[in-house]
Amino acid sequence: MQGRVEAGVLHPGAMGASLGATLRQNCEAVLWAAQGRSPETHHRAQQAGLTEVPDLSALASRAQVIVSICPPHAAEEVARDVARHAGPELELYIDANAVAPATVERIAELFDQDRVVDAALVGPPAWQPGTFLWLSGPRAEEAAELFADTPLDVRVLGDRLGQASMAKVCFALQSKAMPTIWLAMAEAASAYGVLAPVREVLAEDGIDLDAQLASIERRARPKAWRWAGEMDEAAAALAALSLPDGWSRAAADTYRRVADGTDADACK
């Protein structure tokens, strides 16, 4: 599925704009819906060479492929909006959001099952090599063709919806859930006035607490509101397998504290 295909990207944030730019290599045009988007989004879309259309209705009625990349909590709402407007021309709906497998399965119910591809991205915006795109579902191989010969490292994980999303969940547990222990540890120690001795004993074990806190502060502060939703989805994925999900929910709560500033003393 290459050549004269028109694709749509919802929405061109930092990662979405880079995905749109990669799709341009194998598609005739990559559309984005301008209604309600910020000046920053307009600028990113222009820089990525995307084609502006007025709104979602115009995009969904025209594109043969739509890629959804939005905050996790909005993934189903975006899919419902697309399903309301999409015509028979829509061949693939690629859900590239950080959601639980069950969320992808519910999204698939909005479309014909064979039109939905489960996708997950791991890494920075895909302007340069170094970002993985995991795909799964009955038509994952067709979706992979759209990203052939681009900076993305594309890997088809299987023909089952949810496989790509579960792989993303597992990665997120390591990259986003585990680091929140440093924030919780520092806030608890600070509350009892023992942050200095905790820092010292960790240093004896080769752990630089200040470096850990600075790292998560740098990474999380701009995205904490989004990561909270991702951790909620990770918790749902674990709970569906009857696995303990408490740390994922704790991570979500921690990121909500980061987003609203109630963790302010933990990172000092």
Side-chain angles (χ1 to χ4, degrees):
M1 184 185 294
Q2 294 186 14
R4 300 194 63 79
V5 171
E6 288 191 316
V9 173
L10 303 171
H11 296 280
M15 181 64 84
S18 71
L19 273 185
T22 62
L23 280 167
R24 286 183 58 237
Q25 298 185 42
N26 293 315
C27 296
E28 181 177 9
V30 178
L31 316 175
W32 75 286
Q35 185 179 48
R37 313 315 298 182
S38 69
E40 292 78 14
T41 301
H42 279 257
H43 178 71
R44 280 191 297 265
Q46 184 179 41
Q47 292 296 107
L50 309 188
T51 300
E52 180 178 329
V53 296
D55 51 29
L56 176 62
S57 176
L59 184 151
S61 63
R62 176 173 161 182
Q64 292 86 53
V65 176
I66 293 177
V67 180
S68 172
I69 181 161
C70 62
H73 70 270
E76 287 189 71
E77 181 181 356
V78 168
R80 283 193 293 270
D81 287 344
V82 171
R84 281 195 291 269
H85 294 291
E89 296 83 4
L90 180 62
E91 296 186 34
L92 291 180
Y93 183 83
I94 302 173
D95 189 90
N97 298 303
V99 296
T103 303
V104 177
E105 291 165 6
R106 289 194 298 272
I107 287 171
E109 292 173 0
L110 299 171
F111 304 91
D112 295 333
Q113 289 280 337
D114 65 355
R115 287 203 287 177
V116 175
V117 175
D118 183 18
L121 287 149
V122 174
W127 300 109
Q128 301 292 331
T131 297
F132 291 94
L133 174 62
W134 287 327
L135 299 168
S136 71
R139 297 179 68 181
E141 294 285 356
E142 290 180 58
E145 293 176 9
L146 295 168
F147 298 96
D149 302 317
T150 72
L152 286 165
D153 186 340
V154 182
R155 304 189 182 189
V156 174
L157 304 186
D159 60 6
R160 178 182 176 184
L161 288 177
Q163 288 177 302
S165 287
M166 183 56 80
K168 174 70 171 183
V169 163
C170 293
F171 178 81
L173 290 173
Q174 177 276 139
S175 64
K176 298 185 178 73
M178 290 177 64
T180 59
I181 193 67
W182 301 116
L183 292 175
M185 178 191 301
E187 191 165 355
S190 180
Y192 270 76
V194 295
L195 186 57
V198 168
R199 181 186 290 115
E200 291 168 5
V201 76
L202 287 172
E204 291 179 9
D205 285 343
I207 298 170
D208 187 334
L209 178 58
D210 290 336
Q212 295 290 348
L213 292 172
S215 175
I216 192 168
E217 163 78 6
R218 183 179 64 254
R219 295 172 55 237
R221 187 69 62 184
K223 302 177 181 178
W225 63 275
R226 187 177 189 128
W227 287 3
E230 185 172 348
M231 290 295 96
D232 287 334
E233 290 288 325
L238 294 173
L241 296 172
S242 299
L243 293 170
D245 63 342
W247 51 69
S248 300
R249 299 198 183 281
D253 289 343
T254 298
Y255 285 126
R256 277 187 272 271
R257 288 171 62 80
V258 172
D260 66 22
T262 56
D263 74 316
D265 292 336
C267 295
K268 302 301 183 184

